Amino acid sequence: MHTAPSGHVDTYVIGDIQGCCEQLQQLLTKIEQRSPQARLLFAGDLVNRGPQSLATLRLVKQLHEQGRADSVLGNHDLHLLAVANGIRPAHRSDTLDDILQVPDRDDLLGWLRHRPLAICLDDHLLIHAGVFPQWSVQQTLSLAQEVMTQLQSENWISLLRQMYGNTPNQWNDHLQGAARYRCIINALTRMRFCSSDGIMDFASKDGVGTAPAGYAPWFDLPRASADHTLVFGHWSTMGLVLRPNLISLDTGCVWGGKLTGVSLKNRDVVQIDCPQQQEPG
């Protein structure tokens, strides 16, 4: 079970960096000015599409080793692990070569592989993308731990091979093996729209007003996790959303938007304007 210590230090959650390390350093400087020694939690997608994936990974790893930070895994982080192990080909828009070619790549990838898929801090739950309506916070943490155990085991390459695909697209407590792990990973790292009976849609990637018929943004459905504030990234076309029990953090850094950090103590918002690194599409 991955629960972050709270203590009295403020915690800032930070949205998808995607290799935009220069902007991350600017954001961290701003956060340090407002809350020295603040703890940092990253919503995943540390790497890819931006120009400095290697520098970003090294910086977040260093902050983690200093006891100041942690990150959940995003779909681009898992993609890096798959590409590095020959399971998936690199995409045309990937910017991962700098990581794959350095002498300490195995150390960096080993650190990344040991990151959690969900982090609970007091009454906040951090994931990269989403949770099924029927998942409580406790069940979400337990299921995330199941995948983490596999990813940190001797069978981790097998898990990476089996995690791709859009089925099953609906959660069932009786799912087993590869189908179970794939469904958990897809929810936690890819989900945007979902039906009230827990069927995921993977075709739509636009804003919240573009839900297919019969679907809604996963967080707008009645959910068993409503006793916690859900914190996530992944949905850049939605941008920053702050509600009493919801924080959406991906503000499109790599697309020329902003990199965003939000204090969990007082909802202080810190943002850095970002140059466009990739054309959407």
Side-chain angles (χ1 to χ4, degrees):
M1 203 65 64
H2 206 91
T3 303
S6 54
H8 300 293
V9 178
D10 195 5
T11 298
Y12 277 77
V13 286
I14 296 172
D16 306 34
I17 306 162
Q18 296 201 242
C20 297
C21 191
E22 185 177 336
Q23 287 69 44
L24 173 59
Q25 290 169 319
Q26 294 171 14
L27 185 76
L28 296 181
T29 298
K30 269 192 173 184
I31 290 173
E32 184 73 18
Q33 291 168 349
R34 298 183 188 210
S35 183
Q37 293 301 305
R39 180 172 171 79
L40 310 165
L41 292 178
F42 297 92
D45 280 3
L46 301 177
V47 300
N48 210 14
R49 292 184 170 154
Q52 296 173 297
S53 289
L54 174 60
T56 302
L57 193 56
R58 281 185 168 153
L59 177 55
V60 177
K61 178 176 181 284
Q62 179 184 32
L63 289 166
H64 176 256
E65 290 168 346
Q66 293 170 354
R68 288 198 54 196
D70 206 350
S71 176
V72 294
L73 284 169
N75 53 301
H76 281 279
D77 308 315
L78 291 170
H79 175 67
L80 167 59
L81 294 174
V83 170
N85 288 279
I87 293 164
R88 298 288 273 193
H91 295 153
R92 180 174 49 84
S93 59
D94 284 353
T95 57
L96 302 172
D97 285 351
D98 53 350
I99 297 172
L100 300 177
Q101 294 168 1
V102 292
D104 59 335
R105 59 166 264 166
D106 289 347
D107 184 46
L108 291 166
L109 296 175
W111 175 82
L112 189 65
R113 179 165 66 89
H114 283 75
R115 303 283 47 79
L117 281 159
I119 295 174
C120 190
L121 179 68
D122 299 328
D123 57 352
H124 293 82
L125 178 69
L126 173 68
I127 70 279
H128 177 63
V131 299
F132 281 108
Q134 65 266 47
W135 283 0
S136 67
V137 169
Q138 200 66 24
Q139 184 178 14
T140 302
L141 290 168
S142 177
L143 295 173
Q145 183 64 52
E146 285 186 33
V147 175
M148 287 163 55
T149 299
Q150 290 298 311
L151 196 54
Q152 296 168 14
S153 75
E154 294 179 355
N155 300 320
W156 66 280
I157 296 283
S158 176
L159 176 72
L160 292 178
R161 284 200 184 99
Q162 296 170 338
M163 73 178 176
Y164 287 99
N166 293 339
T167 59
N169 63 357
Q170 184 174 25
W171 176 250
N172 183 318
D173 288 335
H174 301 296
L175 287 173
Q176 295 182 344
R180 182 179 180 90
Y181 300 139
R182 189 182 311 118
C183 196
I184 295 168
I185 291 169
N186 279 341
L188 293 175
T189 69
R190 295 180 62 206
M191 181 189 288
R192 290 186 180 93
F193 294 112
C194 187
S195 69
S196 58
D197 50 355
I199 299 174
M200 293 181 282
D201 169 78
F202 296 113
S204 305
K205 298 183 179 181
D206 294 329
V208 292
T210 63
Y215 290 83
W218 64 267
F219 49 82
D220 280 339
L221 298 167
R223 54 183 173 86
S225 58
D227 57 337
H228 278 58
T229 296
L230 272 288
V231 185
F232 63 100
H234 186 61
W235 206 337
S236 62
T237 49
M238 181 169 62
L240 180 65
V241 177
L242 300 175
R243 298 184 189 171
N245 65 350
L246 192 80
I247 300 176
S248 168
L249 287 166
D250 186 358
T251 43
C253 176
V254 79
W255 310 117
K258 298 176 185 293
L259 182 63
T260 297
V262 176
S263 163
L264 295 185
K265 188 188 326 189
N266 58 20
R267 296 291 183 100
D268 176 43
V269 175
V270 185
Q271 293 188 310
I272 299 294
D273 291 323
C274 302
Q276 184 171 352
Q277 305 292 349
Q278 291 264 349
E279 293 284 345

